[in-house]
Amino acid sequence: MFVRVEHVRTEEEYIGDDTPREECGVFGVWAPGEDVSKLTYFGLFALQHRGQEGAGIAVGDHDQVVVFKDIGLVSQIFDEPTLGALQGDVAIGHTRYSTAGNNSWDNVQPMYRVSPNGTDVALAHNGNLTNYVELQREAVERKLIPADGVEGQGSSSDTAVVSALLADAIRDDVTLLESARQLLPRVKGAFCFMVTDGKTLYAARDPHGVRPLCLGRLERGWVVASETCALDIVGASFVRDIEPGELIAIDETGVHSERFADAPHAHCVFEYVYVARPDSVVDGQSVNSARIDIGRRLARVAPVDADLVMPVPESGTPAAIGYAEESGIPFKQGMMKNAYVGRTFIQPSDTLRQLGLRLKLNPVREVIEGKKLVVVDDSIVRGNTQRKLIRMLREAGAAEVHVRIASPPVKWPCFYGIDFASPGELIANHGRGGNEEVVAESIRTMVGADSLAFVTTEDMIASTNQPASNLCAACFTGEYPLGLPEGNHNADLVRRLQKGENAS
């Protein structure tokens, strides 16, 4: 059952839209006797960094599944009365950034379907599918979704397609588990699915393990989440990572596991660089430790004579700490971040829009005035944020601004769950054809830094303590381990670039 909220918010505006857009976060809990809706709320709160466009919770009580969702932040959507009305033994939740399907209410998750035999099915998904067009065509032919994807007639997302196919196969002689066994081997790309029929919690991770997924233990139940930080916030103890290609089912008899496919691992390296929270552990590696180590390596390969090291908060902080420790240059907070800005539902005027980054970050003049700065950031995408940031620091009195980036140049779009720009919009491609030094110098000139350097791909990978063969670094290298999707304009551009053709 859906509870639909008719929101009256204006179109959302990002304050500083140059950062990579995270994909989504999923959370599930099976815990009879516990307040599963509130546990899911707090779990989603911990995963808010993975998506800020919409959120939803589905709760099952054996008789039915109730879904409540809306556009906005978790704290804007749910309140005590709403959570109090969502009673049951099992729940799944989702916080969303729209990498597939536009940002409408229909596309907010969890998705809800009723099977031919009357079984309620709710599904939440983190990632992107590479064979979405094939699956969509099948769902349209079977009249499970509208052919034109018209607004108001149902979701246009890959999650909606999977939900429709999964639910439609359930009959009196075919259970939800059996339907999942049939469908999952046919789904290609990056995915973590959380599914419930109101009785059992199901979770699946794609055979490559692109996106993280972990299992935790409550005193009276179990939790599955995108990151371990969500386990921490609800008081669950970490048990293990869900393995790539694994499907688990949790009910009163415990946790049951089976494999639905095997494939070479391709964990997303950008989880360690930017996406995951520093207090999470991804596939056995502390994210905070990986980022600090990246900073240390960056200091070795790109030293600079400076007075202080400062991060672009908050994502640049661990790498900046590592850079300072390795270089011996003092670490200081040279900018303050307004934690309550980042997503606003108020349309700013033209005058306020010009403030841009200042609404989010503001220099601490007494710290930086007259100083030679090493400014550490996690990545550069289009370069707009860095250009404005460097101008702000100079206006605040910085003598020199040396930029150090804790990832290699982003040259290729992601088709597995992170919304990078098209190849032509990425600032690193303005120097396409040159070596890394040429690219860095080109970017330095465009953003106005005194010097600029990136960590190498080899050093970034070494900091994860994962074999290079187990990682996906396609956004840096252009090598796509899961292949490219069909019917995608950016994927067609990439194919042409890989062949050495002009993609303009």
Side-chain angles (χ1 to χ4, degrees), residues 61 70 87-88 127 129 140 176 183-184 254 356 384 457 473 487 496:
D61 63 359
D70 197 8
Q87 295 294 316
L129 306 184
V140 169
L176 174 54
L183 180 61
L184 286 173
N384 299 328
T457 302
R496 292 167 63 183

Side-chain angles (χ1 to χ4, degrees), residues 62-276:
H62 286 258
D63 292 326
Q64 65 176 352
V65 174
V66 177
V67 180
F68 189 98
K69 65 179 188 176
D70 197 8
I71 295 172
L73 300 172
V74 174
S75 60
Q76 296 169 322
I77 296 169
F78 299 99
D79 54 23
E80 286 280 356
T82 301
L83 294 172
L86 297 172
Q87 295 294 316
D89 295 334
V90 59
I92 63 172
H94 187 269
T95 182
R96 180 175 192 265
Y97 177 73
S98 56
T99 57
N102 57 40
N103 187 32
S104 69
W105 184 90
D106 287 319
N107 285 329
V108 180
Q109 302 180 36
M111 295 292 175
Y112 171 83
R113 304 284 297 199
V114 179
S115 75
N117 73 350
T119 300
D120 287 353
V121 177
L123 181 146
H125 168 214
N126 169 25
N128 267 127
L129 306 184
T130 56
N131 66 333
Y132 164 63
V133 172
E134 172 192 335
L135 296 173
Q136 180 192 43
R137 186 180 303 115
E138 178 183 344
V140 169
E141 289 173 354
R142 291 164 57 178
K143 296 182 170 45
L144 302 178
I145 61 171
D148 51 11
V150 175
E151 186 78 10
Q153 294 187 17
S155 172
S156 59
S157 72
D158 50 4
T159 311
V161 171
V162 172
S163 301
L165 294 172
L166 182 68
D168 187 62
I170 301 172
R171 300 289 196 276
D172 290 338
D173 59 341
V174 179
T175 65
L176 174 54
L177 178 59
E178 290 165 340
S179 176
R181 286 171 176 158
Q182 296 169 13
L183 180 61
L184 286 173
R186 299 172 50 216
V187 179
K188 308 301 180 185
F191 59 85
C192 289
F193 291 134
M194 206 79 71
V195 187
T196 187
D197 57 2
K199 307 178 184 67
T200 304
L201 174 64
Y202 299 94
R205 188 181 183 190
D206 78 74
H208 299 275
V210 178
R211 299 289 150 220
L213 195 65
C214 59
L215 175 68
R217 187 75 163 101
L218 294 167
E219 184 177 349
R220 294 192 294 175
W222 299 88
V223 173
V224 183
S226 290
E227 294 183 33
T228 60
C229 63
L231 305 184
D232 297 336
I233 202 170
V234 300
S237 58
F238 173 78
V239 176
R240 64 177 178 87
D241 291 308
I242 305 300
E243 291 296 320
E246 182 180 13
L247 167 66
I248 67 168
I250 303 174
D251 59 18
E252 64 275 3
T253 63
V255 178
H256 306 274
S257 169
E258 58 186 76
R259 301 298 291 266
F260 62 88
D262 286 305
H265 290 187
H267 308 315
C268 174
V269 73
F270 212 67
E271 291 279 354
Y272 301 96
V273 172
Y274 174 79
V275 177

Side-chain angles (χ1 to χ4, degrees), residues 472-494:
C472 173
C475 53
F476 306 115
T477 66
E479 299 173 6
Y480 293 91
L482 280 68
L484 294 169
E486 297 296 331
N488 182 291
H489 174 67
N490 281 339
D492 292 339
L493 289 179
V494 168

